[in-house]
């Protein structure tokens, strides 16, 4: 079972002539509503690769229309939502303005995501075949507890260290590394995490090796057009290239990689193939607008032919 414990959001996106500064108001002709939250994004990406009924989403939404929509969207995508709890707080929401040059400004109201609790996860979920997927958009202490319970049951923890808290501490990174089997970061997140524990990496490759050794884990770095790099605690490295594409929208590409990678780890395919599937899924997502709408189905991933 793939268990995603994380955030669920509704994104409200408005195209504006200019992003307003303090005290200014601009008019947008309309707005678009999208489903988001890194947790929900990764759950959808995993379900499209793993298949309906193999992914369970755990988190919280409000008792509001946005919460209804977020749950229904997950169900439509084959994600089990029995562990999505209704909270008194409103459903998480991101307010996004995008100007004519494509620059954006984003305000995220976490809402019910900050009420997510590891106690919502029944003990029966934690088994040796459990693959737990975590991010950084719900309370860290709760995600950490879910990871520890997974460890105790000999399950597998995939932790996407994103977004990196503005003032991430040595203690936070140290605790996270201690319970993680696969650490997923991009180039900048790798350097930030390594720096937080007192290291001085010169680049993301050095940072990933330092993190892998410090946590006795495998560090996966997604590097956009450069593909993905996996570094084991022993220093062994694997690389997967990114397909050459002309991207339309990179929103959700990292979440797509995370979900596809989790699906492959659950299927126990070789790590090299898991990296290739993740890169291909992320690239295909970039060919379409929207975070979840562009996520590919299993049949569209050529690299999966190697697992047949």
């Amino acid at each position: 079972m793939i268990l995603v414990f994380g955030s669920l959001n509704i994104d409200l996106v408005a195209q504006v002539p200019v992003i307003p500064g303090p005290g200014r108001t601009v008019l947008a002709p309309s707005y678009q509503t999208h489903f988001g939250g890194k947790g929900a994004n990764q759950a959808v990406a995993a379900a499209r690769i793993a298949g309906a009924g193999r992914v369970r989403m755990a988190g919280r939404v409000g008792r509001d229309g946005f919460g209804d929509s977020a749950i229904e969207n997950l169900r439509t995508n084959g994600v089990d939502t029995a562990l999505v709890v209704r909270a008194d707080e409103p459903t998480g929401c991101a307010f996004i303005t995008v100007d004519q040059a494509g620059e954006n400004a984003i305000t995220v109201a976490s809402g019910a995501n900050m009420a997510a609790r590891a106690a919502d996860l029944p003990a029966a979920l934690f088994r040796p075949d459990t693959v737990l997927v975590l991010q950084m958009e719900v309370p860290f202490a709760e995600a950490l507890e879910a990871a520890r319970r997974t460890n105790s049951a000999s399950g597998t923890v995939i932790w996407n260290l994103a977004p990196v808290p503005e003032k991430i501490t040595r203690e936070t990174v140290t605790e996270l590394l201690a319970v993680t089997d696969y650490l997923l970061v991009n180039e900048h997140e790798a350097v930030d995490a390594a720096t937080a524990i007192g290291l001085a990496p010169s680049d993301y490759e050095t940072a990933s090796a330092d993190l892998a050794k410090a946590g006795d884990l495998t560090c996966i770095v997604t590097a956009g057009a450069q593909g993905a790099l996996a570094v084991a605690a022993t220093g062994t490295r694997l690389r997967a290239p990114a397909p050459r594409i002309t991207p339309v929208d990179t929103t959700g590409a990292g979440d797509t990689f995370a979900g596809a990678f989790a699906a492959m780890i659950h299927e126990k395919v070789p790590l090299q193939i898991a990296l290739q599937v993740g890169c291909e899924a992320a690239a295909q997502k970039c060919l379409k607008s929207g975070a979840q709408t562009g996520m590919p189905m299993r049949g569209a991933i050529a690299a999966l032919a190697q697992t047949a």
Side-chain angles (χ1 to χ4, degrees):
M1 173 195 61
I2 301 168
L3 173 61
V4 182
F5 179 57
S7 57
L8 302 93
N9 288 337
I10 297 294
D11 298 342
L12 301 178
V13 184
Q15 302 286 335
V16 295
V18 294
I19 295 173
R24 294 190 62 193
T25 298
V26 296
L27 297 179
S30 185
Y31 66 91
Q32 296 177 318
T33 302
H34 299 287
F35 297 103
K38 294 189 71 64
N41 286 347
Q42 292 174 11
V44 169
R48 291 191 178 180
I49 301 298
R54 292 183 171 87
V55 179
R56 303 189 74 175
M57 179 76 213
R60 294 201 181 187
V61 296
R63 297 184 178 92
D64 49 34
F66 280 167
D68 295 340
S69 297
I71 290 173
E72 181 57 32
N73 174 66
L74 288 172
R75 289 174 178 164
T76 299
N77 280 283
V79 178
D80 186 320
T81 62
L83 297 173
V84 177
V85 177
R86 298 285 189 162
D88 292 333
E89 297 82 356
T91 300
C93 194
F95 306 92
I96 305 169
T97 51
V98 182
D99 69 15
Q100 294 173 332
E103 295 294 328
N104 62 49
I106 304 174
T107 300
V108 178
S110 296
N113 292 313
M114 288 297 101
R117 295 292 180 265
D120 294 337
L121 307 176
L125 290 177
F126 299 99
R127 309 186 302 261
D129 66 341
T130 297
V131 174
L132 175 68
V133 183
L134 301 167
Q135 322 78 34
M136 299 294 285
E137 290 186 335
V138 297
F140 176 72
E142 302 300 327
L144 186 64
E145 175 60 21
R148 286 171 173 164
R149 293 173 68 186
T150 303
N151 282 172
S152 295
S154 300
T156 301
V157 176
I158 299 174
W159 203 319
N160 179 206
L161 181 52
V164 175
E166 186 175 349
K167 296 181 179 179
I168 193 168
T169 66
R170 177 193 292 265
E171 180 182 13
T172 294
V173 177
T174 299
E175 289 182 323
L176 185 156
L177 295 179
V179 296
T180 299
D181 297 291
Y182 295 96
L183 176 68
L184 267 57
V185 286
N186 65 22
E187 311 103 294
H188 309 294
E189 293 157 357
V191 172
D192 288 347
T195 301
I197 57 175
L199 303 172
S202 56
D203 53 38
Y204 76 82
E205 293 199 24
T206 302
S208 61
D210 289 342
L211 292 166
K213 184 176 181 180
D216 190 23
L217 51 76
T218 299
C219 183
I220 311 293
V221 183
T222 55
Q226 299 178 64
L229 167 70
V231 184
T234 59
T236 302
R237 301 186 181 205
L238 293 174
R239 297 179 186 274
R244 293 181 177 274
I245 61 166
T246 300
V248 172
D249 180 5
T250 61
T251 305
D255 292 335
T256 303
F257 180 98
F261 180 82
M264 293 297 96
I265 293 302
H266 186 256
E267 293 181 24
K268 301 186 185 303
V269 305
L271 182 57
Q272 180 68 54
I273 295 177
L275 294 176
Q276 290 174 222
V277 170
C279 286
E280 187 178 345
Q284 289 199 32
K285 188 266 128 268
C286 292
L287 297 176
K288 297 180 181 179
S289 297
Q292 294 182 19
T293 52
M295 291 174 174
M297 304 297 288
R298 186 182 186 94
I301 306 297
L304 280 167
Q306 300 176 55
T307 67

